Amino acid sequence: IDRRRVPGAVAATAHTNGGDPWCRVAATSSVTGMSEPASTSESRRRWWGYIAMPLGVAVAITIGALGFFGEFSSRNVEYTIAGSTSPSDGAVTVQVTVQRIEAAAREMVLQVLVIPTGSLTDNGDPLQPSKDLVLDTSSLITAPLTFKAHDRITARELRVPLDGVVSFYPFDTYHTDLYVGLDAAGVPAPVQLTVTDHDPGFVSQPVSQQAGDGYVTAELQVQRSRSTFILGWFQVIVMWSLGLSVVAGALHIVRRRL
């Protein structure tokens, strides 16, 4: 028995048991055996650490992948606000694409493409009308768009106003009444309106609609996208954490009188 490892225990055992070597051996064995549960618990903690780290990484990757695919699927959506009964009736499809949302200016930038169908096409070409088309919109800075007969139709850019407050970020919500009205050679034509959202920072969805003779009105609701909302909350948490850490450091310095 190496007395250098447990000198106190051996000395105490020798004093109480009259220096019996067998008692000293038993006492030494009991003392050294006390370290076995500690080493076992330490190995268990290491084992759980080896499992928890890759498990946490796998969970984070799974949540990120689900969020990515959920965001991707929610963005590739085309909303049909109103539709005509049949393309052969000489209807016009107005494709509206939300290019971007300018929250500070409270404007929605749109790309508008007019596609005639049926009898309004020139020899079946969907990008060439057989009659003069005039498209009126809810834009306050753009005059009604005119497309001459037998000329190629090109996409146009429009800006429509938004109703909302940007200072509520990231909880800000905006609304706009999107209006399109179309005349073919001075006569109202059936209109089919589709809306596609391409702005990565916002999500635009129709919440109500109204259609009439040659016009369509749709109320669009604009909100922050899921990824932008999560990023906004992350920034809030980081800034609050930095602020609280500065306050805690200042209090520590004052209490220690450093």
Side-chain angles (χ1 to χ4, degrees):
I1 304 300
D2 190 357
R3 296 185 180 182
R4 291 177 296 178
R5 297 184 179 178
V6 284
V10 175
T13 307
H15 177 74
T16 54
N17 296 282
D20 189 355
W22 293 105
C23 294
R24 289 198 298 269
V25 172
T28 304
S29 301
S30 63
V31 173
T32 56
M34 294 175 60
S35 63
E36 294 180 0
S39 62
T40 304
S41 60
E42 184 177 356
S43 63
R44 288 179 179 177
R45 286 196 298 269
R46 291 181 179 178
W47 183 75
W48 278 109
Y50 294 149
I51 293 182
M53 183 177 297
L55 183 61
V57 172
V59 170
I61 293 176
T62 302
I63 295 176
L66 293 176
F68 170 78
F69 287 110
E71 183 77 9
F72 180 77
S73 61
S74 64
R75 303 316 299 271
N76 292 333
V77 179
E78 183 180 90
Y79 299 97
T80 300
I81 308 303
S84 60
T85 57
S86 175
S88 61
D89 297 337
V92 177
T93 299
V94 180
Q95 294 182 354
V96 176
T97 303
V98 180
Q99 295 292 331
R100 63 184 181 274
I101 303 296
E102 297 182 356
R106 292 193 297 181
E107 287 184 340
M108 173 186 288
V109 181
L110 307 175
Q111 185 183 74
V112 179
L113 180 62
V114 176
I115 302 178
T117 60
S119 59
L120 291 180
T121 61
D122 187 10
N123 296 324
D125 189 353
L127 294 179
Q128 190 168 329
S130 60
K131 301 179 181 179
D132 291 342
L133 303 180
V134 178
L135 179 67
D136 190 14
T137 65
S138 56
S139 177
L140 300 179
I141 60 176
T142 304
L145 306 178
T146 301
F147 304 92
K148 294 295 184 179
H150 313 294
D151 290 344
R152 186 171 180 82
I153 298 176
T154 58
R156 307 288 180 87
E157 183 178 288
L158 294 178
R159 291 176 177 265
V160 296
L162 292 175
D163 183 15
V165 181
V166 69
S167 59
F168 288 165
Y169 173 87
F171 306 100
D172 48 339
T173 302
Y174 306 90
H175 293 84
T176 185
D177 291 328
L178 180 61
Y179 168 83
V180 292
L182 192 134
D183 291 342
V187 179
V191 180
Q192 175 175 289
L193 176 63
T194 61
V195 177
T196 306
D197 185 15
H198 284 180
D199 191 333
F202 292 86
V203 176
S204 304
Q205 296 178 342
V207 294
S208 64
Q209 66 183 42
Q210 182 180 1
D213 187 13
Y215 75 91
V216 174
T217 302
E219 180 184 359
L220 299 182
Q221 178 177 286
V222 182
Q223 293 178 324
R224 298 280 177 177
S225 62
R226 187 184 297 110
S227 57
T228 305
F229 189 78
I230 294 175
L231 178 61
W233 267 110
F234 176 75
Q235 294 174 346
V236 170
I237 294 173
V238 169
M239 296 304 296
W240 271 102
S241 300
L242 292 176
L244 292 178
S245 63
V246 172
V247 173
L251 293 177
H252 178 73
I253 293 175
V254 171
R255 290 179 180 179
R256 293 286 184 175
R257 295 181 179 179
L258 300 177

